[in-house]
Amino acid sequence: MSQQYLKLSEGHLKSKGGIHTAREICQQPEMWRATYAIFEEQCGEVSRFLTGFLENEHVQVILTGAGTSAYLGETLTGVFQRRWGVCCKAVCTTDIVTHPKNYFIKSKPTLLISFARSGDSPESEATIALARKYCSRLYELSITCNAEGKLAQMASGNGRSYVFVLPQKTNDKSLAMTSSFSSMLFAGLLIAEFKKVGRLEKIVDTVCRLGEYILANYLDDFKKIAGFKDDRMVFLASALLYGVAHESQLKLQELTNGEVIGASETFLGFRHGPRVILNNSTTVFYLISNNPFVAQYELDFVYATIHSDFYGHSMAIGFEEQVEGLNCDCVVKLPKELSDIPEDYLSVLYVLPAQIIGFYKSLNYGLSPDAPSSNGTISRVVQGVRIYDIQD
């Protein structure tokens, strides 16, 4: 019997050019477990490296990447700052390459955390070189899915660099990053809690079970959402999950080759102007926090929108006690008994709907999800970027 992914046969997926994307979406809980196993194995080395950095005074942490990898930093910067009690900021490699002095301070010990699937984009390599030029005491942590990539190979060997390589299967073959994104995100969450490695097993198991629950129970609902003719999709989240909303927006645009235009904003920020994007061809996604304080603000907006003159479509994801009764076209209700996971880890789960809906929508547009950019506008590894020598 043929293997199925996302309720489609392997043969059908191969004929449509979607086998890699479908398989990579479905493998994510397995890859999270494998990522945790690597973290457990390397936790001693990771701890020594990070402790050495944190022993410095007046440090800063910069989380960086490009495109989807930049949204990892955006999602994790608050997590690292809260866990470590040091100044952290997310800066795209594409910003660092043009304006390095805006971000690096020569005298300040700096940890540069770089995220990359392949590690072969020109900006990743250039950012490392610029950091070494403009920081007197630089520590480098590279989190990548490709041990053979340039980023992984650039480790300095001076004791102030560490490369965390994820399972080889996370190096997605598809153009769109799916398991690579969520697994690097998961790695970042684990590394942020490197001092608690022995107490993370239950959290890891819960996250993986929730991922499996979504994949097992909501594919038909996601397919229904993808079947709507809407050409605008808006993702709303609060600060901690805003990077995931940003990534979700991009995933829809990539997988539909720009046929769907995405937008992302915070629940509170959306009221201040961006709300004008809503029309009757819009699907709005509500990413609801399991933090009761935060959820108050989010649900206020959801109920106000449901009772407004907005006649588009909507989807909500959250734990059942929070989203029960919401009048949306699809409500992903996560089991109440698993709701005690830290809010940070919702980020790994909440990217799944956009990945899957984007996949189905790509097929609906007659595209190949593995390579949806039929005109070559975008590619798996960015092309055509020339790096110039900076003049001081």
Side-chain angles (χ1 to χ4, degrees):
M1 190 177 195
S2 175
Q3 176 74 49
Q4 284 201 338
Y5 300 98
L6 301 179
K7 292 193 172 183
L8 296 169
S9 72
E10 191 170 15
H12 179 74
L13 288 166
K14 286 180 178 178
S15 72
K16 295 296 183 181
I19 183 62
H20 295 309
T21 311
R23 183 186 290 130
E24 287 154 5
I25 289 172
C26 291
Q27 74 181 8
Q28 289 177 96
E30 176 192 350
M31 291 301 99
W32 304 338
R33 288 191 173 94
T35 297
Y36 177 62
I38 293 172
F39 176 68
E40 271 196 311
E41 184 180 308
Q42 299 182 17
C43 65
E45 298 170 53
V46 171
S47 180
R48 283 189 292 275
F49 170 74
L50 294 175
T51 300
F53 165 68
L54 292 169
E55 285 174 347
N56 291 282
E57 294 184 351
H58 310 300
V59 300
Q60 71 167 353
V61 177
I62 297 176
L63 299 94
T64 193
T68 285
S69 296
Y71 304 146
L72 289 163
E74 191 173 28
T75 306
L76 289 166
T77 184
V79 177
F80 276 88
Q81 181 157 305
R82 183 164 24 89
R83 299 290 183 194
W84 294 358
V86 300
C87 180
C88 301
K89 54 189 174 185
V91 187
C92 303
T93 57
T94 47
D95 289 336
I96 290 173
V97 164
T98 57
H99 293 80
K101 293 180 183 178
N102 284 8
Y103 310 108
F104 297 128
I105 301 173
K106 193 83 171 176
S107 61
K108 189 177 285 287
T110 299
L111 172 62
L112 182 71
I113 305 179
S114 299
F115 296 95
R117 172 172 61 176
S118 71
D120 287 329
S121 74
E123 297 97 333
S124 292
E125 187 177 357
T127 293
I128 295 285
L130 288 166
R132 290 174 180 176
K133 179 176 181 178
Y134 289 109
C135 294
S136 296
R137 191 164 184 80
L138 177 69
Y139 293 75
E140 302 164 18
L141 172 59
S142 298
I143 300 173
T144 180
C145 304
N146 183 16
E148 305 303 319
K150 292 178 182 176
L151 183 67
Q153 297 301 312
M154 287 184 73
S156 64
N158 65 358
R160 295 207 298 269
S161 64
Y162 193 88
V163 180
F164 188 92
V165 181
L166 277 74
Q168 192 273 332
K169 285 170 67 176
T170 65
N171 190 9
D172 300 328
K173 295 180 180 178
S174 174
L175 180 147
M177 292 173 63
T178 54
S179 72
S180 52
F181 175 83
S182 68
S183 299
M184 285 194 285
L185 177 54
F186 199 56
L189 290 165
L190 296 172
I191 288 169
E193 298 199 86
F194 72 94
K195 296 179 181 179
K196 297 182 180 179
V197 63
R199 290 172 280 169
L200 297 175
E201 190 170 348
K202 182 182 176 182
I203 294 172
V204 170
D205 181 65
T206 300
V207 172
C208 294
R209 287 169 60 194
L210 286 168
E212 290 162 349
Y213 178 84
I214 293 169
L215 288 164
N217 291 281
Y218 286 98
L219 295 183
D220 290 338
D221 296 274
F222 297 153
K223 198 168 188 176
K224 180 183 82 170
I225 294 287
F228 297 145
K229 302 301 182 183
D230 297 351
D231 57 9
R232 298 183 184 187
M233 292 196 167
V234 177
F235 295 85
L236 300 180
S238 296
L240 185 63
L241 296 169
Y242 178 63
V244 169
H246 216 159
E247 164 62 6
S248 297
Q249 163 198 337
L250 177 62
K251 215 48 48 193
L252 261 298
Q253 291 182 170
E254 286 179 332
L255 285 167
T256 63
N257 198 29
E259 294 290 339
V260 172
I261 298 302
S264 54
E265 188 49 91
T266 62
F267 281 90
L268 291 175
F270 198 60
R271 297 175 186 266
H272 294 265
R275 188 172 179 161
V276 297
I277 194 175
L278 296 182
N279 63 18
N280 293 343
S281 296
T282 306
T283 302
V284 182
F285 295 81
Y286 305 117
L287 311 185
I288 307 296
S289 172
N290 64 344
N291 179 329
F293 174 75
V294 177
Q296 294 175 110
Y297 290 103
E298 298 170 340
L299 293 170
D300 279 353
F301 179 87
V302 176
Y303 286 119
T305 303
I306 288 172
H307 294 103
S308 71
D309 58 356
F310 169 58
Y311 297 107
H313 297 101
S314 60
M315 192 204 94
I317 181 170
F319 284 92
E320 54 189 352
E321 70 270 24
Q322 295 167 309
V323 298
E324 191 70 53
L326 291 184
N327 185 23
C328 297
D329 297 278
C330 169
V331 181
V332 177
K333 301 175 185 178
L334 302 177
K336 181 179 180 180
E337 62 269 21
L338 300 178
S339 65
D340 61 346
I341 64 167
E343 184 185 19
D344 303 346
Y345 287 86
L346 295 181
S347 56
V348 178
L349 302 165
Y350 279 16
V351 73
L352 295 178
Q355 295 175 349
I356 299 167
I357 292 166
F359 171 83
Y360 286 137
K361 214 156 181 66
S362 186
L363 291 176
N364 292 347
Y365 279 112
L367 299 169
S368 300
D370 293 345
S373 185
S374 53
N375 55 3
T377 302
I378 56 175
S379 56
R380 185 178 179 279
V381 179
V382 70
Q383 304 294 319
V385 177
R386 180 178 174 184
I387 302 297
Y388 295 91
D389 291 333
I390 193 165
Q391 303 298 318
D392 289 325

